[in-house]
Amino acid sequence: MTGNADPRHAGEGTTSRARLDRGRGALGPALELVHTGRAPTRAVLTAELGVTRATAGAVAAELEALGLIRVDARPGAAAGSQGRPSHRLALADDGPVVLAAQVHADGFRAALVGLGGRIVATTPSCEAVDADPAKVLGAAVDAGADLLRRTGRHCVGAGLAVPSAVTEPEGLALNPLHLAWPAGAPVREVFAERVRAAGVSGPAFAANDVNLAALAEHRHGAGRGARDLLCVATGHRGVGGALVLDGRLHTGSSGLALEVGHLTVNPEGRPCHCGSRGCLDVEADPLALLTAAGREPGPEGSLLHQANELIREEYADPTVRTAVETLIDRLGLGLAGLVNILNPDRIILGGLHRTLLDADSERLHAVVADRGLWGRSGGVPILGCSLDHNSLVGAAELAWQPVLDDPLRALAGGTGNTGAAAGR
Protein backbone atom coordinates (compact mmCIF):
# COMPACT_ATOMS: atom_id res chain seq x y z
CA MET A 1 0.00 0.00 0.00
CA THR A 2 1.57 3.26 -1.16
CA GLY A 3 -1.04 5.90 -0.41
CA ASN A 4 -1.10 8.27 2.55
CA ALA A 5 -1.85 6.67 5.90
CA ASP A 6 -5.19 7.41 7.56
CA PRO A 7 -4.42 10.23 10.08
CA ARG A 8 -6.88 8.66 12.53
CA HIS A 9 -4.46 5.72 12.94
CA ALA A 10 -1.15 7.56 12.58
CA GLY A 11 -0.21 7.15 16.27
CA GLU A 12 -1.26 3.55 16.72
CA GLY A 13 2.09 2.06 15.67
CA THR A 14 3.98 4.35 18.03
CA THR A 15 1.61 3.55 20.88
CA SER A 16 1.93 -0.17 20.27
CA ARG A 17 5.74 0.01 20.21
CA ALA A 18 5.78 2.10 23.40
CA ARG A 19 3.53 -0.43 25.16
CA LEU A 20 5.79 -3.25 23.98
CA ASP A 21 8.91 -1.47 25.28
CA ARG A 22 7.25 -0.72 28.62
CA GLY A 23 6.17 -4.31 28.97
CA ARG A 24 9.60 -5.70 28.17
CA GLY A 25 11.26 -3.21 30.49
CA ALA A 26 8.95 -4.35 33.28
CA LEU A 27 9.64 -8.08 32.85
CA GLY A 28 12.66 -8.11 35.17
CA PRO A 29 11.10 -6.02 37.95
CA ALA A 30 7.90 -8.07 37.67
CA LEU A 31 9.77 -11.36 37.93
CA GLU A 32 11.69 -10.12 40.96
CA LEU A 33 8.43 -9.14 42.67
CA VAL A 34 7.03 -12.64 42.18
CA HIS A 35 10.40 -14.24 43.00
CA THR A 36 10.55 -12.49 46.37
CA GLY A 37 6.88 -13.05 47.20
CA ARG A 38 5.92 -9.38 46.98
CA ALA A 39 3.41 -9.77 44.14
CA PRO A 40 1.07 -12.69 44.85
CA THR A 41 -1.62 -11.32 42.53
CA ARG A 42 -1.82 -9.42 39.27
CA ALA A 43 -3.47 -6.50 41.07
CA VAL A 44 -0.50 -6.18 43.42
CA LEU A 45 1.86 -6.49 40.47
CA THR A 46 0.03 -3.66 38.70
CA ALA A 47 0.32 -1.41 41.75
CA GLU A 48 3.98 -2.24 42.44
CA LEU A 49 5.05 -1.67 38.85
CA GLY A 50 2.97 1.47 38.46
CA VAL A 51 1.61 0.36 35.09
CA THR A 52 -1.84 -0.17 33.63
CA ARG A 53 -3.77 -3.39 34.17
CA ALA A 54 -3.31 -4.21 30.49
CA THR A 55 0.46 -3.85 30.70
CA ALA A 56 0.66 -5.88 33.92
CA GLY A 57 -1.45 -8.58 32.31
CA ALA A 58 0.82 -8.65 29.27
CA VAL A 59 3.93 -8.83 31.45
CA ALA A 60 2.50 -11.70 33.50
CA ALA A 61 1.52 -13.53 30.32
CA GLU A 62 5.02 -13.11 28.89
CA LEU A 63 6.65 -14.45 32.06
CA GLU A 64 4.27 -17.41 31.90
CA ALA A 65 5.19 -17.99 28.25
CA LEU A 66 8.85 -18.01 29.29
CA GLY A 67 8.07 -20.82 31.71
CA LEU A 68 8.95 -18.75 34.79
CA ILE A 69 5.60 -18.13 36.48
CA ARG A 70 2.08 -19.50 36.51
CA VAL A 71 -1.01 -17.28 36.24
CA ASP A 72 -4.19 -18.59 37.85
CA ALA A 73 -6.93 -17.04 35.71
CA ARG A 74 -9.78 -18.50 37.78
CA PRO A 75 -8.97 -17.85 41.44
CA GLY A 76 -11.71 -18.37 43.99
CA ALA A 77 -12.96 -15.26 45.73
CA ALA A 78 -12.24 -15.04 49.44
CA ALA A 79 -15.21 -15.32 51.78
CA GLY A 80 -16.94 -11.97 52.19
CA SER A 81 -14.94 -10.31 49.40
CA GLN A 82 -16.55 -8.07 46.82
CA GLY A 83 -15.72 -7.46 43.21
CA ARG A 84 -13.78 -9.54 40.74
CA PRO A 85 -10.83 -11.34 42.37
CA SER A 86 -7.41 -10.71 40.87
CA HIS A 87 -5.48 -13.42 39.07
CA ARG A 88 -3.02 -15.12 41.38
CA LEU A 89 0.65 -15.36 40.43
CA ALA A 90 2.95 -18.21 41.41
CA LEU A 91 6.33 -19.49 40.31
CA ALA A 92 6.27 -22.29 37.77
CA ASP A 93 6.63 -25.67 39.47
CA ASP A 94 8.59 -27.13 36.56
CA GLY A 95 10.53 -24.01 35.62
CA PRO A 96 14.28 -23.72 35.11
CA VAL A 97 16.80 -24.10 37.92
CA VAL A 98 20.34 -23.05 38.73
CA LEU A 99 23.14 -25.21 40.07
CA ALA A 100 24.33 -24.04 43.49
CA ALA A 101 27.37 -25.32 45.38
CA GLN A 102 28.76 -24.57 48.83
CA VAL A 103 32.16 -25.46 50.24
CA HIS A 104 32.90 -25.21 53.98
CA ALA A 105 35.53 -26.46 56.39
CA ASP A 106 33.83 -29.82 56.86
CA GLY A 107 32.71 -30.62 53.34
CA PHE A 108 30.69 -29.47 50.36
CA ARG A 109 27.18 -29.80 48.95
CA ALA A 110 25.47 -29.18 45.62
CA ALA A 111 21.83 -28.39 44.91
CA LEU A 112 19.39 -27.34 42.23
CA VAL A 113 17.50 -24.20 43.20
CA GLY A 114 14.46 -22.75 41.48
CA LEU A 115 13.02 -19.26 41.60
CA GLY A 116 11.73 -18.19 44.98
CA GLY A 117 14.71 -19.78 46.72
CA ARG A 118 13.14 -23.24 46.45
CA ILE A 119 15.61 -26.11 46.69
CA VAL A 120 14.47 -28.63 44.07
CA ALA A 121 17.10 -31.30 44.75
CA THR A 122 20.25 -31.58 46.83
CA THR A 123 23.12 -33.97 47.28
CA PRO A 124 24.18 -35.35 50.66
CA SER A 125 26.96 -33.33 52.27
CA CYS A 126 30.40 -34.64 51.38
CA GLU A 127 32.63 -34.56 54.45
CA ALA A 128 36.01 -34.20 52.76
CA VAL A 129 37.65 -31.09 51.34
CA ASP A 130 40.78 -31.53 49.24
CA ALA A 131 43.57 -28.98 49.54
CA ASP A 132 43.32 -28.49 45.78
CA PRO A 133 40.36 -26.16 45.04
CA ALA A 134 40.01 -27.55 41.51
CA LYS A 135 39.35 -31.06 42.81
CA VAL A 136 36.73 -29.90 45.31
CA LEU A 137 34.93 -27.62 42.87
CA GLY A 138 35.05 -30.27 40.17
CA ALA A 139 33.46 -32.81 42.49
CA ALA A 140 30.76 -30.34 43.56
CA VAL A 141 29.91 -29.44 39.95
CA ASP A 142 29.85 -33.10 38.92
CA ALA A 143 27.42 -33.83 41.76
CA GLY A 144 25.20 -30.96 40.63
CA ALA A 145 25.38 -32.06 36.99
CA ASP A 146 24.26 -35.53 38.07
CA LEU A 147 21.23 -33.94 39.75
CA LEU A 148 20.43 -32.15 36.50
CA ARG A 149 20.61 -35.38 34.52
CA ARG A 150 18.39 -37.22 36.99
CA THR A 151 15.77 -34.48 37.24
CA GLY A 152 15.81 -33.40 33.61
CA ARG A 153 15.55 -29.72 34.60
CA HIS A 154 16.79 -26.87 32.41
CA CYS A 155 19.71 -25.00 34.01
CA VAL A 156 20.33 -21.28 33.47
CA GLY A 157 23.51 -20.76 35.51
CA ALA A 158 25.60 -21.73 38.52
CA GLY A 159 26.66 -20.11 41.79
CA LEU A 160 29.29 -20.99 44.40
CA ALA A 161 29.54 -20.08 48.11
CA VAL A 162 32.94 -20.30 49.83
CA PRO A 163 34.08 -19.43 53.39
CA SER A 164 36.44 -16.70 52.28
CA ALA A 165 36.37 -13.12 51.16
CA VAL A 166 36.12 -13.20 47.35
CA THR A 167 37.62 -10.28 45.49
CA GLU A 168 35.66 -8.41 42.85
CA PRO A 169 35.88 -8.57 39.91
CA GLU A 170 38.69 -11.16 39.86
CA GLY A 171 36.91 -13.82 41.90
CA LEU A 172 39.89 -14.77 44.06
CA ALA A 173 39.39 -16.47 47.45
CA LEU A 174 41.63 -14.10 49.35
CA ASN A 175 41.78 -15.83 52.73
CA PRO A 176 40.33 -19.36 52.79
CA LEU A 177 41.75 -19.81 56.30
CA HIS A 178 39.83 -22.95 57.21
CA LEU A 179 40.21 -24.84 53.92
CA ALA A 180 43.99 -25.21 53.50
CA TRP A 181 43.59 -23.65 50.07
CA PRO A 182 46.27 -21.27 48.82
CA ALA A 183 45.52 -17.60 49.44
CA GLY A 184 44.18 -15.99 46.30
CA ALA A 185 42.83 -19.20 44.77
CA PRO A 186 40.95 -18.24 41.54
CA VAL A 187 37.73 -19.90 42.62
CA ARG A 188 35.40 -18.11 40.21
CA GLU A 189 37.54 -18.99 37.19
CA VAL A 190 38.03 -22.61 38.29
CA PHE A 191 34.34 -23.01 39.09
CA ALA A 192 33.34 -21.58 35.70
CA GLU A 193 35.74 -23.95 33.93
CA ARG A 194 34.32 -26.96 35.76
CA VAL A 195 30.77 -25.83 34.99
CA ARG A 196 31.56 -25.58 31.28
CA ALA A 197 33.40 -28.92 31.31
CA ALA A 198 30.36 -30.60 32.86
CA GLY A 199 28.15 -29.29 30.07
CA VAL A 200 26.13 -27.06 32.41
CA SER A 201 24.71 -24.03 30.62
CA GLY A 202 24.63 -20.43 31.79
CA PRO A 203 27.09 -18.09 33.52
CA ALA A 204 28.94 -19.04 36.73
CA PHE A 205 29.53 -16.89 39.82
CA ALA A 206 31.26 -17.17 43.22
CA ALA A 207 31.10 -15.17 46.44
CA ASN A 208 31.53 -15.32 50.21
CA ASP A 209 29.14 -17.69 51.97
CA VAL A 210 27.85 -15.27 54.63
CA ASN A 211 27.29 -12.54 52.04
CA LEU A 212 25.19 -15.04 50.12
CA ALA A 213 23.34 -16.16 53.26
CA ALA A 214 22.42 -12.52 53.92
CA LEU A 215 21.24 -12.07 50.33
CA ALA A 216 19.04 -15.16 50.56
CA GLU A 217 17.59 -14.21 53.94
CA HIS A 218 16.87 -10.67 52.75
CA ARG A 219 14.95 -11.91 49.71
CA HIS A 220 13.26 -14.99 51.13
CA GLY A 221 13.78 -15.33 54.88
CA ALA A 222 14.17 -13.56 58.22
CA GLY A 223 15.62 -10.43 56.63
CA ARG A 224 12.72 -9.81 54.25
CA GLY A 225 11.48 -6.24 54.52
CA ALA A 226 14.59 -4.89 56.28
CA ARG A 227 16.20 -1.86 54.70
CA ASP A 228 19.60 -2.12 56.41
CA LEU A 229 20.24 -5.71 57.42
CA LEU A 230 23.25 -7.00 59.36
CA CYS A 231 23.94 -10.73 59.21
CA VAL A 232 26.49 -12.43 61.47
CA ALA A 233 27.00 -16.17 61.39
CA THR A 234 29.33 -18.94 62.39
CA GLY A 235 29.08 -22.15 60.47
CA HIS A 236 31.69 -24.84 60.73
CA ARG A 237 34.71 -22.66 61.57
CA GLY A 238 35.18 -18.94 62.06
CA VAL A 239 32.72 -16.04 62.03
CA GLY A 240 31.49 -14.07 59.04
CA GLY A 241 29.33 -11.03 58.49
CA ALA A 242 27.39 -9.31 55.73
CA LEU A 243 25.43 -6.13 55.26
CA VAL A 244 22.48 -5.32 53.03
CA LEU A 245 22.13 -1.55 52.62
CA ASP A 246 18.94 -0.09 51.19
CA GLY A 247 18.07 -3.48 49.74
CA ARG A 248 21.46 -4.16 48.11
CA LEU A 249 24.31 -6.37 49.31
CA HIS A 250 27.24 -4.18 50.39
CA THR A 251 30.56 -5.75 49.40
CA GLY A 252 32.82 -2.69 49.48
CA SER A 253 35.14 -1.44 46.76
CA SER A 254 36.59 -4.86 45.94
CA GLY A 255 34.34 -7.44 47.61
CA LEU A 256 36.10 -7.47 50.98
CA ALA A 257 33.67 -5.57 53.22
CA LEU A 258 32.33 -6.83 56.57
CA GLU A 259 35.14 -9.12 57.71
CA VAL A 260 33.55 -9.02 61.15
CA GLY A 261 35.34 -12.15 62.30
CA HIS A 262 38.41 -10.06 62.99
CA LEU A 263 36.83 -7.67 65.44
CA THR A 264 38.70 -7.97 68.75
CA VAL A 265 36.30 -8.98 71.52
CA ASN A 266 38.83 -10.36 74.03
CA PRO A 267 42.27 -8.69 73.88
CA GLU A 268 43.83 -11.44 76.01
CA GLY A 269 42.05 -14.21 74.14
CA ARG A 270 43.00 -16.96 71.75
CA PRO A 271 45.49 -16.39 68.93
CA CYS A 272 43.71 -15.84 65.63
CA HIS A 273 44.73 -17.04 62.18
CA CYS A 274 45.02 -13.40 61.12
CA GLY A 275 47.89 -12.82 63.59
CA SER A 276 45.86 -10.92 66.19
CA ARG A 277 44.33 -12.23 69.42
CA GLY A 278 40.81 -12.55 70.74
CA CYS A 279 39.04 -12.03 67.41
CA LEU A 280 35.37 -12.93 67.12
CA ASP A 281 36.52 -15.58 64.64
CA VAL A 282 38.15 -17.66 67.40
CA GLU A 283 36.11 -16.51 70.38
CA ALA A 284 32.57 -17.26 69.13
CA ASP A 285 32.69 -20.22 66.74
CA PRO A 286 31.85 -23.91 67.36
CA LEU A 287 35.41 -24.85 68.33
CA ALA A 288 35.47 -22.01 70.87
CA LEU A 289 32.30 -23.34 72.49
CA LEU A 290 33.56 -26.91 72.69
CA THR A 291 36.86 -25.69 74.14
CA ALA A 292 35.17 -23.42 76.71
CA ALA A 293 32.96 -26.33 77.78
CA GLY A 294 35.98 -28.61 78.19
CA ARG A 295 34.92 -30.93 75.36
CA GLU A 296 37.25 -32.41 72.80
CA PRO A 297 35.86 -32.35 69.26
CA GLY A 298 34.80 -35.84 68.25
CA PRO A 299 35.42 -37.62 64.95
CA GLU A 300 31.71 -37.92 64.11
CA GLY A 301 29.83 -35.00 62.64
CA SER A 302 30.89 -31.44 61.95
CA LEU A 303 32.03 -29.05 64.64
CA LEU A 304 28.84 -27.07 64.09
CA HIS A 305 26.69 -30.15 64.67
CA GLN A 306 28.64 -31.09 67.81
CA ALA A 307 28.36 -27.57 69.25
CA ASN A 308 24.64 -27.32 68.53
CA GLU A 309 23.97 -30.73 70.05
CA LEU A 310 25.97 -29.82 73.15
CA ILE A 311 23.71 -26.82 73.79
CA ARG A 312 20.48 -28.64 73.01
CA GLU A 313 21.25 -31.75 75.05
CA GLU A 314 23.46 -30.55 77.92
CA TYR A 315 22.54 -26.92 78.54
CA ALA A 316 21.57 -27.80 82.12
CA ASP A 317 25.22 -28.69 82.83
CA PRO A 318 26.72 -25.65 84.64
CA THR A 319 29.96 -25.92 82.65
CA VAL A 320 28.09 -25.90 79.35
CA ARG A 321 25.85 -23.04 80.46
CA THR A 322 28.88 -20.98 81.48
CA ALA A 323 30.52 -21.65 78.13
CA VAL A 324 27.35 -20.57 76.33
CA GLU A 325 27.16 -17.38 78.38
CA THR A 326 30.80 -16.60 77.60
CA LEU A 327 30.21 -16.95 73.88
CA ILE A 328 27.03 -14.87 74.08
CA ASP A 329 28.96 -12.10 75.84
CA ARG A 330 31.72 -12.17 73.23
CA LEU A 331 29.19 -12.17 70.38
CA GLY A 332 27.23 -9.36 72.02
CA LEU A 333 30.34 -7.19 72.26
CA GLY A 334 30.98 -7.64 68.57
CA LEU A 335 27.36 -6.96 67.62
CA ALA A 336 27.25 -3.82 69.76
CA GLY A 337 30.30 -2.40 67.99
CA LEU A 338 28.76 -3.16 64.61
CA VAL A 339 25.45 -1.59 65.61
CA ASN A 340 27.25 1.57 66.75
CA ILE A 341 28.96 1.85 63.37
CA LEU A 342 26.29 0.61 60.97
CA ASN A 343 22.95 1.38 62.68
CA PRO A 344 21.06 -1.51 61.03
CA ASP A 345 17.31 -1.89 61.45
CA ARG A 346 17.60 -5.66 61.90
CA ILE A 347 20.23 -8.24 62.85
CA ILE A 348 19.97 -11.87 61.82
CA LEU A 349 22.19 -14.62 63.22
CA GLY A 350 23.09 -17.90 61.55
CA GLY A 351 24.72 -21.19 62.40
CA LEU A 352 25.77 -21.59 66.03
CA HIS A 353 24.88 -17.96 66.71
CA ARG A 354 21.24 -18.74 66.01
CA THR A 355 21.44 -21.54 68.60
CA LEU A 356 23.04 -19.15 71.12
CA LEU A 357 20.19 -16.70 70.51
CA ASP A 358 17.64 -19.46 71.13
CA ALA A 359 19.44 -20.51 74.31
CA ASP A 360 19.41 -17.07 75.98
CA SER A 361 18.05 -14.26 73.85
CA GLU A 362 17.58 -11.95 76.84
CA ARG A 363 21.27 -12.08 77.69
CA LEU A 364 22.35 -11.36 74.13
CA HIS A 365 19.90 -8.46 73.76
CA ALA A 366 21.07 -7.03 77.09
CA VAL A 367 24.76 -7.14 76.13
CA VAL A 368 24.09 -5.42 72.81
CA ALA A 369 21.87 -2.78 74.43
CA ASP A 370 24.27 -2.10 77.31
CA ARG A 371 27.23 -1.61 74.97
CA GLY A 372 25.30 0.26 72.29
CA LEU A 373 25.54 4.04 72.11
CA TRP A 374 21.76 4.38 72.20
CA GLY A 375 21.16 1.87 74.98
CA ARG A 376 17.85 0.10 75.23
CA SER A 377 16.00 2.98 73.56
CA GLY A 378 17.87 2.23 70.33
CA GLY A 379 17.53 -1.53 70.52
CA VAL A 380 17.64 -3.35 67.20
CA PRO A 381 15.65 -6.57 66.60
CA ILE A 382 17.85 -9.69 66.64
CA LEU A 383 16.43 -12.72 64.86
CA GLY A 384 17.65 -16.13 63.83
CA CYS A 385 18.13 -16.93 60.15
CA SER A 386 15.11 -18.87 58.90
CA LEU A 387 16.23 -20.60 55.71
CA ASP A 388 17.77 -24.04 55.52
CA HIS A 389 20.96 -23.99 53.44
CA ASN A 390 20.79 -20.21 53.06
CA SER A 391 24.28 -19.95 51.57
CA LEU A 392 23.26 -22.40 48.86
CA VAL A 393 20.12 -20.37 48.20
CA GLY A 394 22.25 -17.22 48.09
CA ALA A 395 24.66 -18.82 45.64
CA ALA A 396 21.64 -19.56 43.47
CA GLU A 397 20.58 -15.90 43.71
CA LEU A 398 23.85 -14.94 41.99
CA ALA A 399 23.00 -17.16 39.05
CA TRP A 400 19.37 -16.02 38.95
CA GLN A 401 20.30 -12.33 38.85
CA PRO A 402 20.85 -12.13 35.07
CA VAL A 403 17.39 -13.64 34.60
CA LEU A 404 15.89 -11.16 37.07
CA ASP A 405 17.66 -8.32 35.28
CA ASP A 406 16.50 -9.26 31.78
CA PRO A 407 14.51 -12.49 31.39
CA LEU A 408 14.26 -12.25 27.60
CA ARG A 409 17.99 -11.82 27.08
CA ALA A 410 18.96 -14.43 29.69
CA LEU A 411 16.61 -17.05 28.29
CA ALA A 412 17.12 -16.22 24.61
CA GLY A 413 16.84 -19.40 22.61
CA GLY A 414 15.68 -21.39 25.62
CA THR A 415 11.93 -21.04 25.08
CA GLY A 416 9.51 -21.00 22.21
CA ASN A 417 7.42 -17.83 22.27
CA THR A 418 9.50 -14.88 23.49
CA GLY A 419 8.37 -11.30 23.15
CA ALA A 420 4.85 -11.71 21.82
CA ALA A 421 2.85 -11.32 25.00
CA ALA A 422 4.57 -8.15 26.18
CA GLY A 423 2.83 -6.14 23.48
CA ARG A 424 -0.67 -7.41 24.13
Side-chain angles (χ1 to χ4, degrees), residues 164-166 168 207-216 231 241-244 249-251 255-258 391 394:
S164 167
V166 178
E168 297 176 353
N208 170 262
D209 54 359
V210 180
N211 277 348
L212 296 179
L215 180 62
C231 175
L243 183 66
V244 176
L249 188 64
H250 175 71
T251 57
L256 308 180
L258 268 290
S391 291

Side-chain angles (χ1 to χ4, degrees), residues 5-103:
D6 187 336
R8 294 173 298 175
H9 303 291
E12 287 186 1
T14 302
T15 301
S16 178
R17 286 194 298 274
R19 183 180 298 164
L20 177 65
D21 290 341
R22 283 199 304 273
R24 285 181 171 172
L27 284 175
L31 181 59
E32 183 166 343
L33 286 166
V34 181
H35 171 63
T36 55
R38 291 178 289 157
T41 67
R42 203 169 69 182
V44 175
L45 184 68
T46 301
E48 290 289 334
L49 292 177
V51 297
T52 65
R53 288 173 54 187
T55 298
V59 167
E62 178 67 26
L63 292 175
E64 186 172 39
L66 289 169
L68 297 171
I69 74 169
R70 178 168 45 84
V71 180
D72 183 355
R74 294 169 296 159
S81 63
Q82 295 181 351
R84 183 179 178 182
S86 178
H87 294 10
R88 295 199 62 80
L89 307 178
L91 296 167
D93 294 330
D94 57 351
V97 296
V98 300
L99 189 159
Q102 180 183 9
V103 180

Side-chain angles (χ1 to χ4, degrees), residues 211-390:
N211 277 348
L212 296 179
L215 180 62
E217 293 285 345
H218 185 263
R219 289 184 175 180
H220 308 294
R224 184 181 290 174
R227 177 178 176 181
D228 298 325
L229 175 69
L230 172 64
C231 175
V232 177
T234 177
H236 299 262
R237 291 292 300 274
V239 174
L243 183 66
V244 176
L245 286 178
D246 200 20
R248 298 179 64 86
L249 188 64
H250 175 71
T251 57
S253 62
S254 57
L256 308 180
L258 268 290
E259 280 291 310
V260 305
H262 301 288
L263 288 173
T264 299
V265 293
N266 182 15
E268 306 301 321
R270 300 177 179 87
C272 182
H273 306 277
C274 71
S276 187
R277 300 185 70 90
C279 294
L280 201 59
D281 210 53
V282 292
E283 295 286 339
D285 78 340
L287 182 59
L289 177 70
L290 295 171
T291 301
R295 308 300 173 90
E296 288 289 332
E300 299 297 325
S302 68
L303 291 175
L304 175 61
H305 176 76
Q306 293 179 51
N308 281 333
E309 288 301 301
L310 180 65
I311 297 174
R312 290 169 181 152
E313 296 180 1
E314 301 185 45
Y315 188 58
D317 183 323
T319 303
V320 174
R321 183 183 290 269
T322 299
V324 168
E325 291 174 348
T326 298
L327 257 71
I328 287 176
D329 291 347
R330 300 283 189 250
L331 175 61
L333 285 174
L335 293 179
L338 291 167
V339 167
N340 290 341
I341 296 169
L342 303 173
N343 188 215
D345 57 24
R346 192 180 311 172
I347 298 171
I348 56 173
L349 302 179
L352 177 63
H353 293 165
R354 179 174 61 178
T355 309
L356 294 175
L357 176 68
D358 292 340
D360 195 343
S361 62
E362 289 187 8
R363 186 181 186 97
L364 182 58
H365 279 92
V367 174
V368 174
D370 289 344
R371 297 281 181 162
L373 292 177
W374 299 280
R376 297 185 183 279
S377 64
V380 56
I382 305 176
L383 307 173
C385 291
S386 62
L387 299 177
D388 293 332
H389 308 303
N390 52 16

Side-chain angles (χ1 to χ4, degrees), residues 118 248 400:
R118 299 177 301 175
R248 298 179 64 86
W400 275 119

